[in-house]
Amino acid sequence: MGRENLPQISIPPYILRIKPYVPGKPIEEVKRELGLKKVIKLASNENPLGPSPKAIQAIKEYAAQVNLYPDGGGWRLRKVLSEKLGLERENIILGNGSDEIVSLITRVFLREGEEVIIGDPSFLMYSIDAQLSGGKVISVSLKDFRLDLKKMKEAITSKTRLIFIDNPNNPTGTIVKEDEVRDFLDKLPPHILVIFDEAYYEYVDDPGYPQTLDFVKEERNVIILRTFSKIYGLAGLRVGYGIAKKEIIAVLNRARSPFNVNSLAQVAALASLEDEDQVKRSRKLIEEEKEFLYSRLRKLGLSFIPTQANFILIKIGKGAGKIEQALLRRGIIVRGMAGYDLSEYIRVTIGTRKQNEEFLGSLQKILSSAG
Ligand SMILES: *Cc1c(COP(=O)(O)O)cnc(C)c1O
């Protein structure tokens, strides 16, 4: 890497070693690069139904006030969220997406040489943020595509500081359950903070899904992360939140930049919370379309991992990377899994019926011409 072009300031090797996060390609980029008119993005688990009309209205109404700085403390949004969750405002921190809270956590709680335990594969940002703090990432392989909490607990040492439990786990869509999580938390040493990333919380329908809010109410060393990016359809606005006991939130607040969540994001999030129909509609769509995709994938002879989120991990086989590219040329963006060490798989966001049919139709054509 062009080290000689950098200013003469020492950059630690652990930062130079970081592989940047590669997000799903934006629609405009694919149109531009491939000269396509119509592109469907099924790569970043966005909500195909869009945001709540109430959120759009709130943004319009607030637009003329963007000359003013946002409420840096997010007073109203934190108040409404805390009431909804049966907690207090001091139990909540807002972030520029829940991504930002992951980075606040590693900056505040992790020093060089200390360890972070994550699932392998799991959401890539945990590892990137841990490395930025000079942390050592301890990856624990999944078992049957689920986080292996037993092995993760066995990986704890005196240097462990953070354990990330991505639930549902991205990219597999699987969950760990209440009893497993209780066992995991039992007798955990006090120098450890457990983060439950629940970005897909609202989509889960398994009754065994853990009630992690109880862990916060029990004053345990846990942080729950949730977001407006997924079911609420506000990914472009960047707003998520962390839930924890007051002492943890207070210390995270020291690292937060004063206006981290913009005012349009705040009003849109508030309006979204008032639109339960939007959430119900979105959940219903995923429930139905999940079954539709399952049955069509079975007919195509493809295996997949049953999901609790709005995406499906599909096994394509050796040529998965080529198939991802062939789909792209047909204007369908899915997520290749080479970066997650699952090179025979693709991860596909569940879309509308029309989008899913286009994806399946293209996939079928590509597979039959390849075979
Ligand atoms: C999408 C996603 C997030 C990021 O959400 P933002 O709030 O948009 O930053 C966090 N964790 C997981 C597992 C995700 O898939």
Side-chain angles (χ1 to χ4, degrees):
M1 83 181 332
R3 187 67 190 81
E4 61 286 353
N5 286 328
L6 286 165
Q8 297 298 300
I9 301 170
S10 87
I11 301 172
Y14 56 77
I15 290 184
L16 294 171
R17 270 198 301 267
I18 293 173
K19 284 193 216 132
Y21 183 78
V22 184
K25 271 183 188 276
I27 290 174
E28 284 309 317
E29 184 178 319
V30 174
K31 283 186 179 168
R32 201 165 58 232
E33 288 180 354
L34 297 175
L36 294 169
K37 287 222 166 58
K38 211 186 91 199
V39 170
I40 299 172
K41 185 178 177 200
L42 299 174
S44 301
N45 310 333
E46 292 137 335
N47 186 338
L49 300 180
S52 159
K54 291 194 163 104
I56 297 170
Q57 186 59 29
I59 291 168
K60 283 185 184 157
E61 282 169 15
Y62 199 86
Q65 292 182 66
V66 294
N67 57 316
L68 302 175
Y69 277 100
D71 173 359
W75 194 91
R76 240 184 98 68
L77 181 53
R78 284 165 64 223
K79 184 170 186 316
V80 171
L81 282 170
S82 61
E83 283 167 2
K84 194 176 145 138
L85 301 170
L87 291 163
E88 289 175 62
R89 204 162 25 88
E90 294 80 5
N91 293 115
I92 294 182
I93 183 169
L94 303 180
N96 194 254
S98 52
D99 270 358
E100 189 196 17
I101 304 176
V102 173
S103 82
L104 293 179
I105 293 168
T106 52
R107 264 196 283 165
V108 167
F109 291 105
L110 190 68
R111 304 276 77 80
E112 188 174 352
E114 294 176 339
E115 295 171 2
V116 176
I117 300 174
I118 61 175
D120 181 20
S122 208
F123 190 47
L124 294 174
M125 287 311 297
Y126 312 144
S127 150
I128 292 176
D129 283 316
Q131 287 173 274
L132 266 176
S133 289
K136 189 171 165 201
V137 176
I138 309 293
S139 301
V140 175
S141 297
L142 303 192
K143 190 178 172 193
D144 301 327
F145 293 91
R146 293 189 332 124
L147 290 177
D148 189 343
L149 292 185
K150 225 167 142 234
K151 286 267 158 58
M152 288 173 92
K153 195 168 181 175
E154 285 166 15
I156 292 173
T157 71
S158 60
K159 286 188 180 164
T160 309
R161 293 294 170 270
L162 306 172
I163 304 178
F164 282 94
I165 301 192
D166 192 9
N167 203 28
N169 187 53
N170 180 2
T172 54
T174 55
I175 63 163
V176 285
K177 305 210 181 182
E178 174 90 27
D179 49 347
E180 295 173 90
V181 171
R182 285 248 168 227
D183 280 349
F184 174 81
L185 290 177
D186 186 40
K187 301 201 182 72
L188 218 54
H191 63 274
I192 288 171
L193 181 57
V194 178
I195 298 100
F196 292 96
D197 184 345
E198 300 183 340
Y200 302 93
Y201 171 84
E202 296 84 357
Y203 285 117
V204 175
D205 58 18
D206 189 316
Y209 192 52
Q211 299 296 319
T212 47
L213 280 178
D214 291 344
F215 306 144
V216 173
K217 289 171 189 167
E218 292 161 13
E219 306 248 302
R220 291 175 189 260
N221 290 328
V222 302
I223 302 177
I224 304 167
L225 302 179
R226 293 192 189 159
T227 182
F228 287 93
S229 296
K230 301 288 156 67
I231 206 165
Y232 290 104
L234 299 178
L237 287 178
R238 315 303 303 126
V239 50
Y241 54 105
I243 310 163
K245 60 185 173 190
K246 296 176 184 181
E247 296 82 354
I248 291 177
I249 297 296
V251 68
L252 288 176
N253 258 318
R254 292 171 182 254
R256 187 177 63 79
S257 71
F259 303 108
N260 63 328
V261 179
N262 74 74
S263 47
L264 298 181
Q266 291 188 37
V267 296
L270 274 164
S272 301
L273 289 173
E274 282 171 18
D275 191 352
E276 283 185 16
D277 264 6
Q278 185 262 351
V279 174
K280 269 193 206 144
R281 266 200 311 279
S282 308
R283 205 183 286 138
K284 186 158 170 280
L285 174 86
I286 298 308
E287 239 169 66
E288 290 171 1
E289 292 309 305
K290 178 157 94 173
E291 293 305 323
F292 172 71
L293 279 162
Y294 287 174
S295 81
R296 290 283 300 271
L297 289 169
R298 282 193 197 101
K299 275 190 200 144
L300 286 174
L302 293 172
S303 64
F304 55 86
I305 313 304
T307 183
Q308 285 291 307
N310 67 333
F311 56 82
I312 306 188
L313 188 65
I314 302 170
K315 185 164 187 185
I316 300 287
K318 290 251 180 300
K322 285 206 178 106
I323 301 237
E324 178 204 346
Q325 292 306 313
L327 284 165
L328 196 62
R329 285 193 296 275
R330 289 169 159 269
I332 298 170
I333 317 171
V334 301
R335 193 63 153 262
M337 287 283 110
Y340 290 81
D341 274 334
L342 285 170
S343 56
E344 298 196 353
Y345 292 78
I346 56 173
R347 193 196 66 198
V348 182
T349 305
I350 302 172
T352 59
R353 175 63 55 96
K354 195 156 172 282
Q355 292 175 330
N356 297 332
E357 276 175 343
E358 294 204 21
F359 158 68
L360 289 160
S362 288
L363 182 63
Q364 185 167 17
K365 281 193 194 120
I366 293 164
L367 289 172
S368 59
S369 68

